[in-house]
Amino acid sequence: MLPVGTSTIGRTKENNIICMHKSLSRKHAQVDYDGKRVRIADLQSKNGIFHNGKRVPACELVEGDTFRCGDVTFLLESATTRQPKISVGVQTLPSPLGLDASLSKRITKVPAPAVHIEDDQRYKDKLFLLIRASELLVGEQPLDRMLDELVVLAVQVLDVDRIALLTLDEKTLEIKPKVIKTFVGAALQPYSKRVVDWVVDKGSPTSFSDVSKDKTLPGDAKEDAAVRAAMAVPINPGGGTVGVLYADSVSKPDAFRPDDLALFRALANMAAVALDSHALRRNRAGAGQPAPTKIALPTKIPLPSTLSPPTKVPR
């Protein structure tokens, strides 16, 4: 429950709402609730707060509103009492993360006591991520916004230090970063070019246990001296690789499991669909062809006004 008065959101223990995520500052935001109205304000955080897709210094919230601190989305929902509740979860979805914080390894203070519970929650989180990602594909957001949202969703479930979505530059024919999220100190290049080049060349999803010690990768190993675990997936809509989805950990080797790579493949496929649809619309517009008309089917088929009920014929 959100208590009357002032609460704070952050990733340290002195906050009322704790979310152990790298995109949040120690004290990220302040929430004021006077019994009727809820207001959130940024506490000079690094990654800010977002409401309705825009970064804001402060704003008022109503029941059902979502807001984002860094890369973590919160939902303001009603409870059985008059006091509202803030839940943490995948954007716009009633995530199970918000239902019982004690079951989530991402926001609870104490780890779940049973491994099978943690794994069960892990798969639930990924299911909600895929549902939200599929909703993005049928929406009408600009391409850049959609790709950014896909990366943000991945960050909420995967334990990564750096993540990047790279796409093919049609002029230079080089793979260049389009979306980048980093949660470690600044680096000359926020991804391993050796890993990206390898995946583009091989055309298949790959996971590396320790890039810094991997001798199969081409190029200068000194460039990746700080990179431990990494995984990358080609973005291929069917006609060839047009991008790469990349993530790594600079803190520990063997950080990614097979199901992490499988989730990454699903997100890369969705990115491929988004890129392909965008290219199709752009080509259609360049050729002067009108966009396809959306037709809504009626819920009921009306009967003609001249139709009358059948007449009973006496025997």
Side-chain angles (χ1 to χ4, degrees):
M1 297 294 178
L2 186 63
V4 174
T6 298
S7 304
T8 57
I9 299 174
R11 56 182 173 83
T12 54
K13 295 180 180 180
E14 60 265 23
N15 295 283
N16 307 90
I17 303 171
I18 303 171
C19 184
M20 309 271 304
H21 195 275
K22 298 172 184 178
S23 66
L24 268 67
S25 299
R26 287 177 171 272
K27 276 199 173 182
H28 197 102
Q30 175 177 306
V31 181
D32 295 304
Y33 175 53
D34 62 5
K36 294 182 179 179
R37 295 182 300 178
V38 179
R39 178 179 174 80
I40 185 170
D42 191 359
L43 295 179
Q44 298 182 340
S45 64
K46 178 181 177 181
N47 295 319
I49 59 175
F50 294 79
H51 185 246
N52 291 332
K54 297 180 180 179
R55 184 166 182 168
V56 294
C59 65
E60 286 199 3
L61 302 169
V62 297
E63 180 185 339
D65 272 359
T66 58
F67 61 93
R68 182 156 59 86
C69 294
D71 290 326
V72 179
T73 301
F74 297 80
L75 168 69
L76 183 69
E77 57 182 3
S78 63
T80 53
T81 68
R82 293 181 178 272
Q83 290 179 286
K85 179 174 64 173
I86 289 182
S87 299
V88 186
V90 178
Q91 187 174 1
T92 73
L93 288 174
S95 169
L97 289 175
L99 299 179
D100 187 352
S102 65
L103 295 183
S104 173
K105 68 182 183 62
R106 298 187 65 81
I107 58 176
T108 183
K109 299 179 184 178
V110 182
V115 175
H116 70 276
I117 294 179
E118 180 178 331
D119 285 346
D120 183 56
Q121 185 62 48
R122 180 186 179 94
Y123 291 124
K124 284 182 180 179
D125 294 346
K126 290 182 177 181
L127 174 60
F128 275 89
L129 181 153
L130 292 174
I131 293 173
R132 173 54 184 156
S134 66
E135 290 176 345
L136 291 174
L137 288 182
V138 298
E140 297 184 356
Q141 296 189 60
L143 176 65
D144 290 350
R145 174 77 182 277
M146 185 183 301
L147 296 179
D148 185 77
E149 288 288 345
L150 285 175
V151 172
V152 167
L153 287 173
V155 167
Q156 294 192 39
V157 174
L158 300 172
D159 185 13
V160 301
D161 290 330
R162 306 184 303 181
I163 184 169
L165 191 153
L166 304 95
T167 57
L168 182 68
D169 187 307
E170 295 181 354
K171 294 181 179 179
T172 64
L173 298 181
E174 295 179 353
I175 297 289
K176 295 184 177 181
K178 197 171 188 68
V179 181
I180 292 176
K181 305 285 182 183
T182 63
F183 308 104
V184 292
L188 294 178
Q189 189 164 263
Y191 60 93
S192 169
K193 190 175 184 303
R194 297 166 66 225
V195 170
V196 170
D197 289 346
W198 170 274
V199 170
V200 171
D201 181 56
K202 300 297 181 181
S204 59
T206 311
S207 178
F208 299 87
S209 60
D210 193 333
V211 175
S212 66
K213 298 179 181 180
D214 198 307
K215 297 180 180 180
T216 62
L217 290 169
D220 188 358
K222 294 180 180 178
E223 296 178 0
D224 297 329
V227 182
R228 297 296 180 260
M231 59 179 176
V233 179
I235 299 174
N236 187 342
T241 299
V242 297
V244 173
L245 189 58
Y246 169 93
D248 68 22
S249 171
V250 300
S251 55
K252 55 185 178 180
D254 298 307
F256 304 119
R257 305 188 336 185
D259 57 289
D260 293 329
L261 185 61
L263 176 70
F264 231 43
R265 292 178 64 180
L267 292 176
N269 289 338
M270 293 181 183
V273 172
L275 288 166
D276 196 44
S277 299
H278 174 74
L280 183 63
R281 287 194 298 269
R282 186 182 56 188
N283 293 339
R284 183 184 291 116
Q289 299 178 9
T293 305
K294 295 182 178 180
I295 302 176
L297 295 175
T299 55
K300 293 183 179 180
I301 301 177
L303 294 174
S305 57
T306 56
L307 213 63
S308 57
T311 305
K312 293 183 179 180
V313 180
R315 295 180 181 177

